[in-house]
Amino acid sequence: MSVSPSGQARTPSFAERISEHLIGPCRLIMLRTPIHNVVTWCGSFHSAPDMGNKEELLLQHLVVSMLDKGAGTLDRFAVAEILENKGAELAFSSDVLRIDFSGRALKKDVKEVLGLTALQLREPLLAGEELAKAKDRISASIKRSMESTSAQASGALRRRIYGASHPNYIEESEERLEQLQRLSIDEVRAYHAAHFGANACTLVVVGDVDESAVNEAVENHFAGWPSRDASPHFAETPEEHDPGVSTVAIPDKENVDVRLGHALAVRRNDPGYIPAFLANFALGGNFSARLMQTIRDEMGLTYGIGSSLSGVSTEYDGHWQVAVTLSKEYVQRGIEETVKQIRHFVAGGVTPEELEEKKTTVTGAFKVGLSTTFGLAKTLLSNVEQGFEIAYLDEFPDRVESVSVDEVNRAITQTFVPDSLHITLAGNVREADLSL
Amino acid sequence: MDIPKGFAFEETSGGVEAYRLEGNGLQTLLLRDATAPVATFMITYRVGSRHEPEGLTGACHFLEHLMFKGSARFNKQAGTSVFNVLQRVGARVNATTWLDRTNYYEMLPEEHLPLAVEIEADRMRGALLQDEDMERERTVILNELDRGENDPVRKLFHAVWAAAFTVHPYHHPVIGWRDDVERLTPDGLRHFYDTYYRPDNATVSIIGDFDKTEALGLVHRHFGQIASPEEALPAMHVCEPAQEEERRVVVRQAGWQGAVMVAWKSPRGLEADTDALDMLSAILSAGKNGRLYRRLTDTGLTTSAWGGISRFCDPGLAYVFARPAPDKTHEEVESAIHATIDEIKENGITEEELQRARNQRKAQAAFSRDGSFSAAAELNEAIAAGDWKLYTAMQDRINRVTGKHIQRVAREYFVEHTCTTGYYIPDGEASS
């Protein structure tokens, strides 16, 4: 039964609902939703770092962490005062090849806060006296990741799979800490000047949107933002490495994080992506998937286990990984049972009933994920970043529904190779005590 | 007002309508949200670690896990486990246990709301709670516990609460002490289930684009047949003795980033003084114009610093948490935290600070209506604190707080003899 008062009327497509404009070099997408008084936006632009030069990523992090420390004629407190007096939120982050920015504000404040967003991106003060504090914050963040078994196991897996110039590579924490201290404020400013510009800049605004006010703000503050001619340099494919084991020993961590994974020759825009996505989902996509049902629910070996297609993009290859947490006494058995389940899955594939269940899960979860302004804005932005038409979002549920069992089982045998799995562990564990 | 059969209308506030099933006392809250074709169904049981005696710590959380192991109708053997049935339609489904409450929720396409109501009603009294499931789940929970113990900050929070509360069950971590988790018995869990999982100890909340009559009809159809026991709910009489001197704890663990936590006893969640402490916390820690940022982080003493309060059934803690910058000592940071508080005790706050904090809360209130789940999450904590209207009336409560009130609560509650200070000191020898 339906308890909706609105009945079963056809939901207009995204293509019908959005309003899209090219303003200067920026693509602006707006979507009005029935929420009262709340507006959320997500945006990004290419920063085009040279991944062969690891200092560039740290410089990028430093610029991003200093964007809120003053801009134009406003010092850091004046910038903060504008936001804090309105209860508005604004955040910047570095996503390797892109800079992301997002915000949320009450309807009446959107125009001003969007203007402030542009000012911070375009004219940050990057004051010399703020550099040491920015370094301390990044250093603290790196040190926290050194305490995290999850971060260490994931980093070790990526170092086994990728070369240093791949966007998914994560450098050793100690090396990053050393490099960070060497960087100067002149280098930070030079990086901003060369890489922060309206390159493939997209802004998605969702909620109780006053379209003319947003248009005006973008026209006034983003339209004149020049592009930069920096071009990204990065490896698109992983390196060929024999499968092996890496252990990051961390004292006092009785829960051991384990990653099993290998490189993946599937890109986000390949026809085989959705079958591979569904295949992975059946194995480890949620609580009802094979790994949680066996390793956790039946055997009680872990609190959490799941698998994912990680770091997959239209621009470069990613990897497939299984992540599992194991108490020290169950590490050996937990890994053995996990590999056994993976082999069983690859050998036997999915059943038609299992695939139908996963399809309705994925399409239902897609709908649920679009129920907040942030969920909508982020999904629309990601869609643009991947180079898809807006219609792709409307078509996504049908594309999922149309995948056959044969396609998924072919994806399983072509995509997942148990004999190629790298294994990485982080925690209070010694490789010598294990037989892997 | 047209009130559906079987329900008594209680009140309305901030768009939320409250009803009660007349037959068994189940409270039902409805909040219409037509922004998306998605609904959230949530049931909140007023039982948490607060109700656990010595030796049974972790029982509520353990029970929460077992509630997913099935009932006679929804179980894995039949291919109808709770996760399986709900995730099949795209639901986000989970549960959480906290000090005063346990909640189960489903966020799902609105056409599947009846399924969520049916499942939660079924497992209110129909959970199997089988011995073999308990043994398998015990190692799962011990792994969850190990995961938590990996995190020194979590250990620091546990250590500070354990030191601050010596008698009251807020002393215990919600997940329980390891020895207890290892020894909990099916009888112990069954006792909790039979005592507290009953209609008159629960509130269901429905948030989404629903028809009121049909939604209440669903609740009536599925929950209406469940009787509340004749025995009254056990009364809670545990009272923490007054703290008479400062307490200190140190957590040592391998690591690289220390932390300082300074906490003071604070009043119950529903008291007006907690509103003032809430605003004080905002003034301390909200953004770069927060007192803590200006005094600690902007000066390079810490890499981050923030304050928080608890809104629980019983008196809890208000606290400040900070991460020392490299080459800065825990003692320097602790001293700066006290200096920041002392300044407010002595000189109060400015009207500008108060207005800024009010504006921030106003925006947050609007943001909390963005999606059915965020409203559910806030309602959940208000129910746990003792009154769901804490959610809907928060803006009015906040607007009543004055600068003088904030200065008074700073002087009254942030005092040395109710203070508990915790350091997380990374163990250099182990780290190296």
Side-chain angles (χ1 to χ4, degrees):
Chain A
M1 83 177 254
S2 168
V3 292
S4 169
S6 47
Q8 297 297 316
R10 184 185 77 88
T11 306
S13 69
F14 277 106
E16 290 168 316
R17 292 161 65 201
I18 66 153
S19 152
E20 187 169 4
H21 309 266
L22 195 61
I23 300 180
C26 297
R27 184 176 178 183
L28 170 64
I29 295 170
M30 291 180 281
L31 175 63
R32 279 186 59 83
T33 69
I35 192 166
H36 175 64
N37 205 16
V38 176
V39 179
T40 299
W41 60 90
C42 291
S44 73
F45 59 90
H46 273 295
S47 54
D50 176 359
M51 295 299 297
N53 177 2
K54 285 300 158 188
E55 287 190 348
E56 288 215 344
L57 266 194
L58 279 171
L59 285 167
Q60 185 163 297
H61 281 135
L62 277 169
V63 174
V64 167
S65 78
M66 295 173 75
L67 291 177
D68 64 349
K69 302 301 181 297
T73 58
L74 304 171
D75 70 11
R76 59 197 182 281
F77 295 118
V79 166
E81 197 168 325
I82 292 171
L83 293 171
E84 291 163 13
N85 282 344
K86 301 175 188 316
E89 300 168 354
L90 192 52
F92 303 94
S93 62
S94 163
D95 184 22
V96 188
L97 301 184
R98 284 186 177 81
I99 302 300
D100 293 333
F101 53 98
S102 61
R104 186 158 67 163
L106 299 180
K107 185 176 185 176
K108 67 179 174 52
D109 300 322
V110 170
K111 203 169 152 182
E112 188 176 357
V113 179
L114 273 177
L116 185 64
T117 307
L119 185 68
Q120 289 181 250
L121 286 168
R122 297 178 63 176
E123 300 176 42
L125 292 182
L126 303 178
E129 62 271 24
E130 286 295 315
L131 181 64
K133 285 182 271 182
K135 285 182 177 179
D136 279 351
R137 283 193 303 276
I138 294 174
S139 169
S141 164
I142 294 171
K143 286 177 179 174
R144 281 198 297 278
S145 82
M146 292 164 73
E147 293 178 354
S148 161
T149 52
S150 173
Q152 290 303 308
S154 294
L157 179 68
R158 285 170 181 245
R159 284 190 290 280
R160 289 201 66 88
I161 292 175
Y162 300 106
S165 59
H166 193 283
N168 289 336
Y169 181 83
I170 294 179
E171 202 167 13
E172 293 275 10
S173 304
E174 290 84 350
E175 290 169 19
R176 278 190 289 160
L177 285 172
E178 282 176 21
Q179 290 165 0
L180 180 67
Q181 296 312 319
R182 290 199 293 269
L183 300 174
S184 70
I185 193 65
D186 289 340
E187 289 171 296
V188 172
R189 289 172 183 152
Y191 187 86
H192 176 267
H195 294 267
F196 277 53
N199 302 10
C201 181
T202 303
L203 174 62
V204 180
V205 187
V206 176
D208 194 359
V209 182
D210 177 343
E211 293 197 5
S212 64
V214 171
N215 256 315
E216 190 182 329
V218 175
E219 186 74 53
N220 289 342
H221 302 287
F222 283 90
W225 194 16
S227 298
R228 306 295 177 199
D229 59 5
S231 52
H233 296 283
F234 60 90
E236 293 187 20
T237 55
E239 289 187 347
E240 297 283 335
H241 295 293
D242 291 335
V245 178
S246 297
T247 303
V248 184
I250 311 178
D252 293 348
K253 307 290 187 188
E254 300 307 300
N255 171 69
V256 178
D257 261 274
V258 179
R259 301 288 181 271
L260 305 94
H262 62 61
L264 199 61
V266 176
R267 298 223 180 159
R268 183 62 186 83
N269 50 344
D270 286 348
Y273 176 80
I274 292 179
F277 174 81
L278 286 168
N280 172 73
F281 201 85
L283 176 68
N286 65 2
F287 203 102
S288 307
R290 297 271 190 105
L291 291 173
M292 277 293 263
Q293 284 300 301
T294 52
I295 308 297
R296 171 171 160 159
D297 204 46
E298 291 172 15
M299 301 178 200
L301 293 172
T302 180
Y303 177 73
I305 183 168
S307 62
S308 57
L309 310 182
S310 296
V312 178
S313 145
T314 52
E315 295 165 284
Y316 46 83
D317 291 355
H319 65 281
W320 172 60
Q321 72 166 21
V322 173
V324 57
T325 73
L326 298 162
S327 292
K328 194 176 172 183
E329 62 269 34
Y330 292 117
V331 169
Q332 178 74 42
R333 190 179 156 212
I335 293 173
E336 287 172 359
E337 294 290 353
T338 301
V339 172
K340 196 186 292 182
Q341 289 301 322
I342 293 169
R343 289 187 184 283
H344 176 69
F345 179 74
V346 171
V350 297
T351 65
E353 299 75 27
E354 188 178 17
L355 178 60
E356 283 312 305
E357 177 196 318
K358 297 311 169 194
K359 285 179 182 177
T360 55
T361 299
V362 168
T363 53
F366 181 69
K367 192 173 180 181
V368 170
L370 299 177
S371 65
T372 64
T373 55
F374 181 80
L376 282 163
K378 190 70 184 167
T379 303
L380 281 161
L381 178 65
S382 298
N383 195 60
V384 170
E385 288 176 346
Q386 303 285 0
F388 298 141
E389 299 294 327
I390 296 293
Y392 182 86
L393 293 176
D394 296 308
E395 296 162 5
F396 181 74
D398 289 341
R399 285 175 185 247
V400 169
E401 287 296 338
S402 69
V403 175
S404 69
V405 173
D406 288 345
E407 286 174 296
V408 170
N409 285 333
R410 198 159 49 244
I412 289 173
T413 53
Q414 289 175 350
T415 311
F416 308 139
V417 187
D419 288 336
S420 296
L421 286 171
H422 296 272
I423 301 176
T424 60
L425 307 92
N428 191 10
V429 63
R430 296 190 319 161
E431 207 171 310
D433 296 335
L434 302 170
S435 173
L436 298 173
Chain B
M1 179 184 282
D2 187 19
I3 301 167
K5 183 185 161 196
F7 281 94
F9 173 76
E10 291 195 322
E11 56 188 321
T12 183
S13 170
V16 178
E17 294 181 9
Y19 298 83
R20 196 171 291 274
L21 258 180
E22 292 173 312
N24 59 22
L26 178 72
Q27 188 179 49
T28 303
L29 305 178
L30 303 181
L31 174 58
R32 283 290 307 280
D33 167 26
T35 55
V38 168
T40 293
F41 182 79
M42 176 176 71
I43 183 159
T44 307
Y45 292 99
R46 285 178 281 278
V47 59
S49 61
R50 171 176 180 261
H51 301 83
E52 296 168 344
E54 295 276 350
L56 282 176
T57 67
C60 286
H61 173 255
F62 209 134
L63 177 59
E64 175 225 298
H65 275 238
L66 282 193
M67 291 288 285
F68 287 93
K69 290 292 188 177
S71 65
R73 291 187 56 208
F74 296 98
N75 61 72
K76 191 171 178 177
Q77 290 68 33
T80 57
S81 74
V82 170
F83 272 115
N84 193 270
V85 169
L86 287 166
Q87 290 190 328
R88 182 177 292 167
V89 299
R92 286 184 192 169
V93 50
N94 214 331
T96 68
T97 308
W98 200 229
L99 286 82
D100 300 323
R101 52 79 185 159
T102 309
N103 73 316
Y104 301 80
Y105 61 85
E106 293 82 21
M107 180 184 181
L108 71 183
E110 53 88 11
E111 64 269 27
H112 298 296
L113 177 62
L115 186 60
V117 182
E118 183 181 1
I119 286 175
E120 291 305 347
D122 175 67
R123 64 176 170 174
M124 175 182 268
R125 293 304 323 145
L128 294 175
L129 308 183
Q130 299 178 110
D131 293 7
E132 59 270 28
D133 284 336
M134 184 169 180
E135 287 318 306
R136 278 196 292 265
E137 204 61 17
R138 194 187 306 276
T139 48
V140 170
I141 293 169
L142 287 170
N143 181 234
E144 185 182 2
L145 198 149
D146 279 343
R147 282 163 54 124
E149 292 287 293
N150 267 16
D151 179 2
V153 170
R154 189 178 169 119
K155 285 176 85 165
L156 177 63
F157 269 77
H158 283 170
V160 168
W161 278 83
F165 292 91
T166 57
V167 172
H168 193 284
Y170 288 168
H171 171 82
H172 310 305
V174 171
I175 198 168
W177 302 113
R178 179 179 294 275
D179 285 353
D180 290 346
V181 175
E182 287 174 342
R183 289 199 303 255
L184 280 170
T185 64
D187 286 347
L189 295 196
R190 175 65 68 177
H191 162 76
F192 266 86
Y193 184 61
D194 289 342
T195 305
Y196 294 107
Y197 279 55
R198 47 193 271 181
D200 60 352
N201 194 41
T203 298
V204 301
S205 306
I206 306 177
I207 300 145
D209 187 13
F210 52 77
D211 175 89
K212 182 173 78 177
T213 304
E214 291 190 37
L216 288 174
L218 277 173
V219 174
H220 184 258
R221 186 179 322 139
H222 294 292
F223 285 93
Q225 304 305 313
I226 304 172
S228 278
E230 289 182 6
E231 307 83 59
L233 281 158
M236 276 284 301
H237 293 302
V238 181
C239 185
E240 177 69 19
Q243 185 174 337
E244 292 176 346
E245 59 184 13
E246 187 195 5
R247 296 170 189 164
R248 304 186 75 84
V249 290
V250 175
V251 169
R252 290 184 186 276
Q253 185 171 339
W256 289 265
Q257 257 284 292
V260 175
M261 181 173 173
V262 184
W264 297 266
K265 290 280 168 50
S266 66
R268 290 178 175 80
L270 295 182
E271 293 187 19
D273 278 1
T274 302
D275 300 339
L277 285 168
D278 198 349
M279 292 298 272
L280 172 55
S281 176
I283 287 163
L284 283 172
S285 57
K288 292 178 185 57
N289 288 296
R291 297 275 183 123
L292 290 169
Y293 183 88
R294 282 190 173 247
R295 186 162 198 140
L296 277 72
T297 304
D298 192 56
T299 57
L301 187 56
T302 62
T303 55
S304 63
W306 47 274
I309 61 152
S310 51
R311 279 194 187 266
F312 296 138
C313 277
D314 294 327
L317 294 177
Y319 58 89
V320 172
F321 178 90
R323 295 274 201 175
D327 305 323
K328 303 297 181 189
T329 67
H330 288 67
E331 290 78 8
E332 286 175 282
V333 171
E334 182 189 346
S335 173
I337 290 171
H338 284 296
T340 309
I341 299 292
D342 288 345
E343 192 177 12
I344 292 175
K345 286 160 80 170
E346 194 160 323
N347 301 317
I349 54 136
T350 66
E351 189 57 35
E352 188 185 4
E353 286 178 310
L354 181 60
Q355 192 54 49
R356 186 184 302 130
R358 282 179 181 154
N359 292 348
Q360 288 167 354
R361 296 306 293 259
K362 184 180 175 187
Q364 285 164 12
F367 298 161
S368 82
R369 299 289 174 111
D370 189 358
S372 58
F373 184 75
S374 60
E378 297 212 18
L379 262 178
N380 188 42
E381 302 310 339
I383 293 163
D387 184 358
W388 62 268
K389 294 189 296 297
L390 196 58
Y391 169 57
T392 53
M394 184 56 77
Q395 197 59 41
D396 290 339
R397 295 176 66 119
I398 288 303
N399 287 340
R400 283 197 291 269
V401 173
T402 64
K404 282 187 176 173
H405 192 177
I406 290 172
Q407 186 175 20
R408 198 260 292 163
V409 294
R411 288 173 173 169
E412 186 173 334
Y413 294 100
F414 289 2
V415 290
E416 187 180 347
H417 68 272
T418 73
C419 181
T420 301
T421 302
Y423 287 0
Y424 159 47
I425 301 179
D427 190 330
E429 193 176 342
S431 304
S432 64

